[in-house]
Amino acid sequence: MRIREDIETVFKKDPAARSTLEVICCYPGLHAIWIHRVSHSLWNRHFYFLARLLSHISRMLTGIEIHPGAKLGRRVFIDHGSGVVIGETAEVGDDVLIYMGVVLGGTTLEKKKRHPTIENDVVIGSGATVLGPITVGRGAKIGAGSVVIRPVPPGATVVGVPARIAEPRPSPSAGQLDHDKLPDPGLIVIGQILDRLSRLEDQFKAHEKSISREEKTTQEAALKDEQIYSLLKEVIDPGVGMD
Protein backbone atom coordinates (compact mmCIF):
# COMPACT_ATOMS: atom_id res chain seq x y z
CA MET A 1 0.00 0.00 0.00
CA ARG A 2 1.43 3.36 -1.06
CA ILE A 3 0.48 5.20 2.16
CA ARG A 4 2.29 2.68 4.34
CA GLU A 5 5.30 2.88 2.02
CA ASP A 6 5.29 6.67 2.32
CA ILE A 7 5.25 6.49 6.12
CA GLU A 8 8.13 4.00 6.15
CA THR A 9 10.07 6.32 3.86
CA VAL A 10 9.72 9.15 6.38
CA PHE A 11 11.17 6.96 9.15
CA LYS A 12 14.10 6.00 6.90
CA LYS A 13 14.96 9.53 5.82
CA ASP A 14 14.11 11.67 8.84
CA PRO A 15 15.63 10.78 12.23
CA ALA A 16 13.23 13.26 13.89
CA ALA A 17 10.23 11.03 13.17
CA ARG A 18 9.10 9.31 16.40
CA SER A 19 5.69 7.78 15.80
CA THR A 20 3.31 6.89 13.00
CA LEU A 21 0.69 9.29 14.35
CA GLU A 22 3.21 12.12 14.34
CA VAL A 23 4.20 11.35 10.75
CA ILE A 24 0.59 11.24 9.55
CA CYS A 25 -0.42 14.46 11.29
CA CYS A 26 2.69 16.64 11.29
CA TYR A 27 4.54 16.18 7.98
CA PRO A 28 3.37 18.69 5.34
CA GLY A 29 5.64 17.14 2.72
CA LEU A 30 3.71 13.90 3.10
CA HIS A 31 0.37 15.71 2.93
CA ALA A 32 1.42 17.54 -0.23
CA ILE A 33 2.38 14.28 -1.95
CA TRP A 34 -0.90 12.60 -0.99
CA ILE A 35 -2.97 15.53 -2.25
CA HIS A 36 -0.86 15.67 -5.41
CA ARG A 37 -1.75 12.10 -6.25
CA VAL A 38 -5.43 13.03 -6.24
CA SER A 39 -4.91 16.23 -8.23
CA HIS A 40 -2.63 14.40 -10.72
CA SER A 41 -5.32 11.79 -11.23
CA LEU A 42 -7.85 14.56 -11.94
CA TRP A 43 -5.37 16.21 -14.32
CA ASN A 44 -4.93 12.99 -16.29
CA ARG A 45 -8.72 12.75 -16.60
CA HIS A 46 -8.79 16.30 -18.03
CA PHE A 47 -10.46 17.85 -14.97
CA TYR A 48 -7.92 20.65 -15.17
CA PHE A 49 -9.74 23.25 -13.08
CA LEU A 50 -10.47 20.85 -10.21
CA ALA A 51 -6.89 19.61 -10.32
CA ARG A 52 -5.48 23.14 -10.14
CA LEU A 53 -7.93 24.12 -7.40
CA LEU A 54 -6.93 21.13 -5.28
CA SER A 55 -3.26 21.90 -5.91
CA HIS A 56 -3.87 25.49 -4.79
CA ILE A 57 -5.57 24.34 -1.60
CA SER A 58 -2.63 22.03 -0.94
CA ARG A 59 -0.28 24.97 -1.34
CA MET A 60 -2.21 27.02 1.23
CA LEU A 61 -2.21 24.11 3.71
CA THR A 62 1.37 22.87 3.29
CA GLY A 63 3.39 25.72 1.75
CA ILE A 64 4.39 23.32 -1.04
CA GLU A 65 3.37 23.95 -4.63
CA ILE A 66 3.26 20.91 -6.90
CA HIS A 67 1.61 21.39 -10.27
CA PRO A 68 -0.96 18.62 -10.88
CA GLY A 69 0.74 17.85 -14.19
CA ALA A 70 4.06 16.98 -12.53
CA LYS A 71 5.00 13.31 -12.21
CA LEU A 72 6.28 12.00 -8.87
CA GLY A 73 7.73 8.54 -8.35
CA ARG A 74 7.47 6.26 -5.35
CA ARG A 75 8.99 6.94 -1.94
CA VAL A 76 9.61 10.61 -2.73
CA PHE A 77 10.13 12.53 0.51
CA ILE A 78 9.87 16.30 0.89
CA ASP A 79 11.55 17.17 4.18
CA HIS A 80 9.99 20.23 5.90
CA GLY A 81 8.98 21.39 2.44
CA SER A 82 8.21 25.06 2.94
CA GLY A 83 8.73 26.93 -0.34
CA VAL A 84 9.14 23.85 -2.55
CA VAL A 85 7.89 24.45 -6.12
CA ILE A 86 7.62 21.67 -8.71
CA GLY A 87 6.56 22.71 -12.22
CA GLU A 88 4.08 21.20 -14.64
CA THR A 89 6.38 19.10 -16.82
CA ALA A 90 8.79 18.11 -14.03
CA GLU A 91 9.43 14.40 -13.54
CA VAL A 92 10.72 13.07 -10.23
CA GLY A 93 11.89 9.47 -9.92
CA ASP A 94 11.79 7.01 -7.04
CA ASP A 95 13.48 7.48 -3.65
CA VAL A 96 14.21 11.18 -4.24
CA LEU A 97 14.87 13.36 -1.17
CA ILE A 98 13.91 17.03 -1.49
CA TYR A 99 14.66 19.63 1.19
CA MET A 100 12.87 22.92 1.82
CA GLY A 101 12.98 25.77 -0.69
CA VAL A 102 13.77 23.59 -3.71
CA VAL A 103 12.51 24.81 -7.09
CA LEU A 104 12.15 22.60 -10.16
CA GLY A 105 11.45 25.41 -12.62
CA GLY A 106 11.10 26.06 -16.33
CA THR A 107 13.05 28.35 -18.66
CA THR A 108 10.67 28.89 -21.58
CA LEU A 109 7.14 30.08 -22.23
CA GLU A 110 6.49 27.48 -24.92
CA LYS A 111 4.06 24.67 -24.19
CA LYS A 112 6.52 21.80 -24.21
CA LYS A 113 8.82 19.93 -21.84
CA ARG A 114 10.38 22.81 -19.92
CA HIS A 115 11.05 21.46 -16.41
CA PRO A 116 13.75 19.09 -15.11
CA THR A 117 13.76 15.33 -14.99
CA ILE A 118 15.06 14.01 -11.66
CA GLU A 119 16.11 10.37 -11.80
CA ASN A 120 16.02 7.86 -8.94
CA ASP A 121 17.92 8.28 -5.64
CA VAL A 122 18.72 11.97 -6.15
CA VAL A 123 19.18 14.29 -3.15
CA ILE A 124 18.41 18.01 -3.60
CA GLY A 125 19.65 20.31 -0.83
CA SER A 126 17.81 23.23 0.76
CA GLY A 127 17.20 26.23 -1.48
CA ALA A 128 18.55 24.56 -4.61
CA THR A 129 17.07 25.54 -7.98
CA VAL A 130 17.03 23.26 -11.01
CA LEU A 131 16.01 25.04 -14.21
CA GLY A 132 15.04 23.88 -17.66
CA PRO A 133 14.43 20.53 -19.37
CA ILE A 134 17.65 19.02 -18.07
CA THR A 135 18.25 15.61 -16.49
CA VAL A 136 19.75 15.05 -13.07
CA GLY A 137 21.27 11.57 -13.21
CA ARG A 138 20.57 8.73 -10.85
CA GLY A 139 22.15 9.05 -7.41
CA ALA A 140 23.32 12.63 -7.97
CA LYS A 141 23.48 15.22 -5.18
CA ILE A 142 22.74 18.92 -5.45
CA GLY A 143 24.22 21.11 -2.73
CA ALA A 144 22.17 23.63 -0.78
CA GLY A 145 21.61 26.94 -2.57
CA SER A 146 22.95 25.67 -5.90
CA VAL A 147 21.50 26.75 -9.25
CA VAL A 148 21.59 23.90 -11.73
CA ILE A 149 21.25 24.87 -15.40
CA ARG A 150 23.17 22.00 -17.04
CA PRO A 151 22.59 18.23 -16.97
CA VAL A 152 24.12 16.40 -14.00
CA PRO A 153 25.82 13.03 -14.61
CA PRO A 154 24.70 10.02 -12.53
CA GLY A 155 26.32 9.90 -9.10
CA ALA A 156 27.88 13.36 -9.35
CA THR A 157 27.76 16.07 -6.67
CA VAL A 158 27.20 19.63 -7.90
CA VAL A 159 27.49 22.86 -5.92
CA GLY A 160 27.59 26.58 -6.57
CA VAL A 161 25.95 29.28 -8.71
CA PRO A 162 25.86 28.17 -11.43
CA ALA A 163 26.35 24.63 -10.17
CA ARG A 164 29.57 22.85 -11.12
CA ILE A 165 30.61 19.27 -10.62
CA ALA A 166 32.53 18.92 -7.37
CA GLU A 167 32.64 15.12 -7.21
CA PRO A 168 32.23 13.20 -10.48
CA ARG A 169 31.89 9.84 -8.75
CA PRO A 170 29.26 8.61 -6.30
CA SER A 171 30.19 9.24 -2.68
CA PRO A 172 30.06 6.48 -0.04
CA SER A 173 27.14 8.21 1.71
CA ALA A 174 24.61 7.52 -1.04
CA GLY A 175 21.06 8.55 -0.21
CA GLN A 176 21.97 11.39 2.10
CA LEU A 177 23.45 14.83 1.73
CA ASP A 178 26.31 15.68 4.10
CA HIS A 179 25.88 19.45 4.14
CA ASP A 180 29.05 19.95 6.18
CA LYS A 181 31.24 17.86 3.85
CA LEU A 182 30.45 19.27 0.43
CA PRO A 183 33.60 19.90 -1.64
CA ASP A 184 34.40 23.37 -2.96
CA PRO A 185 35.26 23.16 -6.69
CA GLY A 186 36.66 26.70 -6.70
CA LEU A 187 39.01 25.90 -3.83
CA ILE A 188 40.06 22.67 -5.55
CA VAL A 189 40.97 24.56 -8.74
CA ILE A 190 42.92 27.21 -6.80
CA GLY A 191 44.79 24.43 -4.96
CA GLN A 192 45.69 22.78 -8.27
CA ILE A 193 46.91 26.10 -9.68
CA LEU A 194 49.08 26.77 -6.62
CA ASP A 195 50.49 23.25 -6.79
CA ARG A 196 51.32 23.72 -10.48
CA LEU A 197 52.89 27.11 -9.77
CA SER A 198 55.07 25.59 -7.05
CA ARG A 199 56.31 22.89 -9.43
CA LEU A 200 57.04 25.48 -12.13
CA GLU A 201 59.06 27.54 -9.64
CA ASP A 202 61.11 24.46 -8.71
CA GLN A 203 61.76 23.73 -12.40
CA PHE A 204 62.75 27.37 -13.02
CA LYS A 205 65.21 27.34 -10.11
CA ALA A 206 66.73 24.07 -11.33
CA HIS A 207 67.09 25.59 -14.80
CA GLU A 208 68.79 28.69 -13.36
CA LYS A 209 71.28 26.49 -11.50
CA SER A 210 71.95 24.52 -14.67
CA ILE A 211 72.62 27.72 -16.65
CA SER A 212 74.92 29.10 -13.95
CA ARG A 213 76.90 25.82 -13.97
CA GLU A 214 77.26 25.97 -17.75
CA GLU A 215 78.47 29.59 -17.61
CA LYS A 216 80.96 28.71 -14.91
CA THR A 217 82.24 25.75 -16.96
CA THR A 218 82.58 27.99 -20.05
CA GLN A 219 84.52 30.57 -18.08
CA GLU A 220 86.83 27.90 -16.66
CA ALA A 221 87.40 26.49 -20.16
CA ALA A 222 88.22 29.95 -21.52
CA LEU A 223 90.66 30.53 -18.66
CA LYS A 224 92.32 27.19 -19.30
CA ASP A 225 92.72 28.03 -23.02
CA GLU A 226 94.39 31.33 -22.14
CA GLN A 227 96.88 29.50 -19.87
CA ILE A 228 97.69 27.03 -22.66
CA TYR A 229 98.25 29.86 -25.15
CA SER A 230 100.57 31.69 -22.76
CA LEU A 231 102.62 28.52 -22.26
CA LEU A 232 102.81 27.87 -25.99
CA LYS A 233 104.09 31.38 -26.61
CA GLU A 234 107.16 30.54 -24.51
CA VAL A 235 108.11 27.44 -26.55
CA ILE A 236 106.88 28.28 -30.08
CA ASP A 237 109.06 30.31 -32.43
CA PRO A 238 107.45 33.70 -32.78
CA GLY A 239 108.19 33.62 -36.47
CA VAL A 240 105.96 30.52 -36.93
CA GLY A 241 102.92 31.99 -35.24
CA MET A 242 100.34 30.56 -32.91
CA ASP A 243 98.12 29.17 -35.67
Side-chain angles (χ1 to χ4, degrees):
M1 189 175 180
R2 296 287 291 275
I3 293 178
R4 179 177 294 177
E5 187 178 61
D6 293 333
I7 294 171
E8 291 175 353
T9 300
V10 174
F11 281 107
K12 288 179 182 178
K13 295 187 176 181
D14 187 5
R18 291 180 174 82
S19 68
T20 301
L21 182 61
E22 178 186 359
V23 170
I24 293 173
C25 297
C26 304
Y27 275 74
L30 204 56
H31 303 155
I33 290 173
W34 287 343
I35 297 173
H36 170 73
R37 287 179 185 155
V38 178
S39 65
H40 184 65
S41 178
L42 291 171
W43 184 268
N44 289 337
R45 289 174 172 79
H46 307 292
F47 294 107
Y48 298 124
F49 175 75
L50 289 177
R52 287 302 303 269
L53 181 61
L54 186 58
S55 174
H56 186 65
I57 293 171
S58 174
R59 176 190 177 188
M60 290 189 295
L61 294 175
T62 66
I64 299 169
E65 182 175 349
I66 307 176
H67 193 283
K71 299 177 182 178
L72 301 186
R74 302 181 67 173
R75 297 177 298 279
V76 174
F77 178 45
I78 302 176
D79 195 3
H80 295 288
S82 179
V84 169
V85 177
I86 300 178
E88 177 188 3
T89 60
E91 300 177 44
V92 180
D94 300 335
D95 301 296
V96 173
L97 176 57
I98 300 174
Y99 287 94
M100 64 173 292
V102 168
V103 175
L104 305 182
T107 55
T108 179
L109 298 178
E110 299 178 16
K111 293 183 179 296
K112 61 179 184 179
K113 170 69 173 172
R114 60 189 186 277
H115 296 91
T117 296
I118 311 297
E119 295 186 348
N120 298 346
D121 301 305
V122 172
V123 180
I124 308 178
S126 302
T129 302
V130 187
L131 299 175
I134 61 176
T135 299
V136 178
R138 183 185 184 119
K141 296 181 179 182
I142 299 174
S146 301
V147 178
V148 184
I149 56 176
R150 289 184 289 269
V152 179
T157 298
V158 295
V159 295
V161 181
R164 292 180 173 83
I165 296 176
E167 285 184 349
R169 298 179 182 177
S171 67
S173 57
Q176 61 183 1
L177 188 62
D178 297 322
H179 297 272
D180 59 333
K181 298 177 182 177
L182 284 176
D184 185 343
L187 187 60
I188 292 173
V189 171
I190 292 173
Q192 292 174 344
I193 292 173
L194 292 175
D195 182 60
R196 176 63 176 165
L197 181 62
S198 177
R199 282 184 280 139
L200 287 173
E201 286 179 346
D202 292 340
Q203 293 176 4
F204 183 73
K205 289 178 181 178
H207 185 62
E208 278 187 330
K209 290 180 181 179
S210 176
I211 291 176
S212 63
R213 281 198 220 100
E214 290 178 1
E215 289 178 349
K216 186 176 180 181
T217 303
T218 304
Q219 291 175 355
E220 290 176 351
L223 182 61
K224 189 176 294 184
D225 289 343
E226 290 178 1
Q227 292 176 347
I228 292 173
Y229 288 150
S230 63
L231 292 173
L232 287 175
K233 285 179 182 179
E234 297 178 359
V235 296
I236 294 178
D237 186 352
V240 176
M242 290 294 295
D243 292 340

